[in-house]
Amino acid sequence: MSKNKIFILLPDGIGLRNFAYSRFHELGVEQGYDVVFWNNTPFQLTDLGFQEITIREAKSNKRTEVYKNARKQIELNRNKKQCNDAVYDTYRFPYSYKNIKTALKSIATQWLTWRYTSDSGILKIRQNIRELEKQTAYFRECKKVLETEKPAMVFCTNQRPMTAIAPLLAAQELGIPTATFIFSWDNLPKATMVVETDYYFVWSDFMKAELLKYYPYIKSESVFVTGTPQFESHFETERLLSRDAFFQANGLDPNKKYICYSGDDVTTCPDDPEYLENVAEAIETLNREGQALGILFRRCPVDFSDRFDSVLQKYKHLIVPVNPKWEKKGGMWNTILPTPEDLDLQMNTIAHTEMVINLGSSMVFDYAAHHKPCAYINYDVENKKIADWSVKKIYNYVHFRSMPDPEAVIWLNNKNTIDAAIREVVVHGNSDTTKAEEWFRIINAVPPEMASKNIWTAINTLLS
């Protein structure tokens, strides 16, 4: 076993931003580690000068998906019962019966859920997943790679993908320590844990408590609080462009101040185009009062739809789209992947806009890192695209309960309050972000710019 070789498992593109485009790799090399990306993404990381071993034919057992889906349903059943809270039902996706194959999967998932909803049952499901994955050619190939390369650790960048199970099982069978990073602030209540590793890396003490609550088989001493590299770029001032350079590069009017409208995906916010139009109407009201304001529209990186086109055309004198620099490598949402350039774009977007408006996005923390406010949309439109969709469902999710004070954000409770909220921030300069920054400290370890270093410190501790 190579004492200094660390495999960074990228089971999908979700971990690219945190672990390939941050200073994480650089810091590991500085500490003497031989950092190798075990890469299951379409991106060639050798183009960035990184060592990589490409994963080919990452095929899970055909039955694993059904067991994985049943595991999620059982965990949500348990969480609902233990917490006496129906919110966990909102994390379920409807079963599909669009063809024979999906119908059979749905029926099998429901039967397994009924049969194994118990403490002993969930143990059986987890055991079956491990046994199924060990039967695959993918598992055998992963084991061969590890036997050849002999890394000191396999660190998985995301706990959610099914394609991460076999590589981690292969490592464990060979006695190689394994760890996984919990990718997002809302993941744990959703029952998204697919992998099982020796160690877990989380954003905060708050997330550690969640992890131990939802997965009682995990020991406290196996969990490391490190923060997330997701926010580190906001503290790397060398990435900042001048206002003039950023405005010129993105077609912005230097005589205007801009607020950012940050879009969601169509599932999270089907009425996003109408909310954007409401914001544009509010900006027009303010401009008639003598202000010079505009909207920088940053769409959700995985939303390539045309649903905003009519609003963008109608308000082209106000709204400037500055699209995320992500690349579409396939048809699924998790094959739409970030590029290194998008970190700079997002950071400069925040630095050169006055505030952000969105529906329940973690952009509140990105703006808090720059001491700038976030306004949350908190009303339903009259003509909803989906009748039973509501903002109430979004803000009832468990992760919003971490908010220490309602004043952490500006609440836009109807469209007629938007102009007043923007006026307070942009015109009158009333933009106290104290509560938002307090929320940020709850969600992410302090100081936030130290996350990559903290992860390497923890790895050092485990391997020493």
Side-chain angles (χ1 to χ4, degrees):
M1 185 179 295
S2 173
K3 186 176 181 181
N4 293 324
K5 184 180 288 185
I6 307 295
F7 265 30
I8 307 301
L9 174 61
L10 289 166
D12 62 11
I14 294 295
L16 285 169
R17 177 189 174 107
N18 283 341
F19 297 99
Y21 304 156
S22 69
R23 294 188 62 233
F24 177 79
H25 174 272
E26 176 188 342
L27 290 172
V29 172
E30 285 178 0
Q31 294 189 33
Y33 284 105
D34 184 11
V35 183
V36 179
F37 285 95
W38 205 4
N39 188 6
N40 190 42
T41 80
F43 278 105
Q44 291 188 356
L45 296 180
T46 51
D47 293 344
L48 299 177
F50 298 161
Q51 292 187 73
E52 69 174 331
I53 293 176
T54 303
I55 294 175
R56 305 187 189 280
E57 299 295 321
K59 291 185 178 180
S60 295
N61 191 299
K62 292 180 180 179
R63 295 164 59 195
T64 299
E65 183 180 2
V66 173
Y67 278 86
K68 180 205 78 170
N69 292 340
R71 176 181 175 176
K72 174 171 181 166
Q73 297 299 326
I74 294 166
E75 288 178 351
L76 290 174
N77 287 345
R78 183 181 61 192
N79 296 343
K80 178 182 177 182
K81 181 179 180 181
Q82 289 184 348
C83 301
N84 191 27
D85 194 336
V87 69
Y88 295 98
D89 287 333
T90 64
Y91 296 128
R92 306 180 198 271
F93 291 104
Y95 290 106
S96 175
Y97 302 93
K98 64 182 179 181
N99 55 47
I100 292 175
K101 184 178 180 180
T102 59
L104 288 173
K105 284 183 178 180
S106 294
I107 292 167
T109 299
Q110 292 174 80
W111 185 86
L112 287 170
T113 302
W114 172 80
R115 173 70 177 80
Y116 291 104
T117 292
S118 65
D119 289 344
S120 60
I122 191 64
L123 286 172
K124 183 66 174 175
I125 291 288
R126 289 166 49 205
Q127 180 183 353
N128 284 343
I129 289 173
R130 292 192 293 269
E131 291 174 354
L132 287 169
E133 287 302 284
K134 285 185 177 182
Q135 297 170 13
T136 63
Y138 177 35
F139 170 82
R140 293 190 291 274
E141 180 60 30
C142 289
K143 193 172 176 182
K144 286 180 184 177
V145 170
L146 293 170
E147 286 172 335
T148 300
E149 296 293 327
K150 297 180 174 59
M153 172 178 275
V154 177
F155 181 94
C156 182
T157 58
N158 181 1
Q159 85 289 351
R160 294 171 54 173
M162 202 161 60
T163 51
I165 300 173
L168 292 166
L169 285 173
Q172 289 167 341
E173 187 157 297
L174 294 170
I176 299 169
T178 59
T180 191
F181 183 74
I182 306 300
F183 168 69
S184 187
W185 70 310
D186 65 347
N187 280 182
L188 292 173
K190 292 180 177 180
T192 64
M193 185 76 76
V194 172
V195 304
E196 296 183 17
T197 52
D198 302 304
Y199 304 102
Y200 298 83
F201 288 63
V202 297
W203 293 24
S204 61
D205 290 323
F206 184 90
M207 187 182 278
K208 179 177 180 177
E210 278 193 320
L211 182 65
L212 299 177
K213 170 184 174 181
Y214 293 120
Y215 299 95
Y217 60 83
I218 296 174
K219 296 179 180 178
S220 178
E221 57 267 28
S222 299
V223 184
F224 291 84
V225 176
T226 60
T228 173
Q230 178 174 327
F231 302 109
E232 286 182 331
S233 64
H234 299 312
F235 303 92
E236 296 167 4
T237 55
E238 66 275 11
R239 293 177 179 266
L240 278 176
L241 298 174
S242 68
R243 185 178 189 272
D244 288 344
F246 179 75
F247 273 46
Q248 184 174 2
N250 293 285
L252 302 171
D253 184 345
N255 297 311
K256 290 183 178 179
K257 291 182 178 180
Y258 285 84
I259 64 105
C260 175
Y261 187 93
S262 174
D264 279 293
D265 62 87
V266 67
T267 302
T268 303
C269 190
D271 298 314
D272 231 357
E274 188 163 344
Y275 290 128
L276 176 59
E277 182 164 15
N278 292 166
V279 174
E281 291 167 349
I283 292 292
E284 286 206 317
T285 297
L286 291 166
N287 285 347
R288 284 195 294 268
E289 296 175 0
Q291 301 303 317
L293 305 177
I295 301 170
L296 185 157
F297 172 52
R298 179 180 166 93
R299 69 168 61 232
C300 174
V302 299
D303 184 0
F304 286 83
S305 71
D306 61 359
R307 64 194 184 118
F308 293 97
D309 287 0
S310 61
V311 178
L312 295 177
Q313 178 61 31
K314 181 178 179 181
Y315 293 96
K316 61 183 179 181
H317 58 292
L318 288 182
I319 306 174
V320 180
V322 178
N323 292 331
K325 293 185 177 182
W326 287 45
E327 293 184 6
K328 193 172 185 179
K329 296 288 187 177
M332 301 294 288
W333 71 269
N334 60 354
T335 59
I336 302 169
L337 305 176
T339 65
E341 293 77 20
D342 191 57
L343 268 71
D344 293 337
L345 178 61
Q346 187 195 47
M347 180 186 183
N348 279 279
T349 293
I350 297 168
H352 298 300
T353 53
E354 309 300 313
M355 63 183 296
V356 65
I357 296 176
N358 59 46
L359 177 77
S361 166
S362 63
M363 284 284 278
V364 61
F365 304 126
D366 296 285
Y367 271 77
H370 289 254
H371 312 292
K372 294 187 177 184
C374 170
Y376 272 175
I377 293 163
N378 192 35
Y379 63 93
D380 294 340
V381 300
E382 291 183 7
N383 299 308
K384 294 191 286 187
K385 298 288 185 185
I386 301 174
D388 63 351
W389 181 89
S390 174
V391 296
K392 292 182 177 63
K393 176 182 177 181
I394 302 300
Y395 294 121
N396 193 44
Y397 286 144
V398 174
H399 59 284
F400 287 109
R401 300 177 188 178
S402 60
M403 186 186 293
D405 191 298
E407 293 183 1
V409 297
I410 300 164
W411 295 98
L412 304 177
N413 295 321
N414 64 69
K415 68 178 183 179
N416 297 322
T417 64
I418 299 174
D419 59 340
I422 296 173
R423 186 185 295 109
E424 279 297 303
V425 173
V426 180
V427 180
H428 300 311
N430 296 328
S431 57
D432 183 4
T433 58
T434 303
K435 298 298 183 182
E437 291 170 41
E438 181 183 346
W439 192 15
F440 189 24
R441 289 192 294 272
I442 291 171
I443 288 298
N444 189 51
V446 178
E449 63 268 32
M450 297 294 288
S452 290
K453 185 175 181 180
N454 290 342
I455 293 170
W456 282 114
T457 298
I459 291 173
N460 278 327
T461 300
L462 292 173
L463 298 181
S464 60

